[in-house]
Amino acid sequence: MTSPTHAQPSADLLEAIESELAIYPHRRVPRDLRRRHLLELATRLFSERGFDAASMDELAQRAGVSKPVIYDQFGSKEGLLLAAIDALGSELNAAVIQAVEGRTDPEDLLRAGSLAFFRFVGEQRATWSMAFGAVRSLDDTARPAAEKIAEIRARQDGLVTGVIFAAAQELGKEPDQLEVGALTRGLNGLYEGLVEWWESHPDVDPEQLTDWVVALILPGLTAVAEAS
């Protein structure tokens, strides 16, 4: 489904989870903690091997559990993939919301949100490639994965829409809903396209990408708001 990549998600989360697990050396591990551990390990495994090549045997070995424990939590290997994509979307959404919270200036909103997006993707590049690569698969597994990716895009659409409306409100205008919807989808396509381009230009940092996006998008957002 996806090709392996050598980039790794941040080690901090796994270390934190395993520190919690150490509290239960001879006791039953809480279900939620076990689930988080398996999900983090699975995300890393899918990123390293690619979804098709990753095996539940290896995941069970890394987690120190039997395969039935994994299937009890997620139902199937595909269920693990969907959970990983869902977690990616939730974490991305939270990162961008936190970055723009309390900001009202259109440029400030755009810059903070864009930088949060690119920093998150940069830190989770392997996971991002794994998740979006799943959609390009032609097998049946891609259908529910595509639905999860659509949910991520819908959340991001909502955030971009908020930036456009904030720009309009700063100018005392009421933007056209149809125009905002079209521009929102186009802008998020731009972000995804830049991430794909970024894979072959890894020396470019999130700050540079953000500068380019702000320079390109801000005049257009202002024009839309002023024309309303």
Side-chain angles (χ1 to χ4, degrees), residues 180-191:
V180 169
L183 290 174
T184 293
R185 185 81 293 275
L187 291 176
N188 272 329
L190 170 65
Y191 282 100

Side-chain angles (χ1 to χ4, degrees), residues 40-212:
E40 183 64 18
L41 288 173
T43 299
R44 290 164 178 268
L45 183 61
F46 293 157
S47 298
E48 291 171 15
R49 303 274 191 260
F51 178 79
D52 290 332
S55 75
M56 293 298 94
D57 287 322
E58 183 174 1
L59 177 59
Q61 182 180 19
R62 291 188 183 192
V65 300
S66 63
K67 284 199 294 184
V69 171
I70 301 173
Y71 291 119
D72 177 60
Q73 287 276 4
F74 298 98
S76 65
K77 183 180 176 182
E78 289 73 19
L80 260 172
L81 172 65
L82 297 181
I85 295 175
D86 193 49
L88 178 75
S90 296
E91 291 166 13
L92 171 60
N93 200 56
V96 175
I97 288 175
Q98 182 178 10
V100 302
E101 188 174 8
R103 302 176 189 272
T104 57
D105 177 73
E107 180 175 355
D108 196 24
L109 274 167
L110 178 60
R111 184 173 296 279
S114 297
L115 185 57
F117 173 83
F118 289 122
R119 281 179 173 170
F120 178 87
V121 174
E123 292 169 359
Q124 302 287 344
R125 191 170 303 197
T127 307
W128 181 276
S129 297
M130 177 274 297
F132 279 76
V135 179
R136 292 190 285 270
S137 171
L138 297 179
D139 63 23
D140 290 340
T141 305
R143 295 173 186 171
E147 292 175 0
K148 289 293 183 184
I149 294 297
E151 291 175 12
I152 293 177
R153 287 173 173 150
R155 292 173 186 171
Q156 293 304 111
D157 282 354
L159 293 173
V160 173
T161 296
V163 173
I164 296 175
F165 273 94
Q169 289 170 359
E170 283 289 303
L171 296 167
K173 304 289 186 177
E174 185 66 31
D176 178 75
Q177 295 276 359
L178 184 62
E179 184 177 12
V180 169
L183 290 174
T184 293
R185 185 81 293 275
L187 291 176
N188 272 329
L190 170 65
Y191 282 100
E192 288 185 28
L194 279 173
V195 169
E196 187 174 347
W197 175 87
W198 197 13
E199 290 181 1
S200 58
H201 299 81
D203 292 337
V204 176
D205 59 35
E207 288 75 15
Q208 181 64 73
L209 289 170
T210 297
D211 286 343
W212 291 340

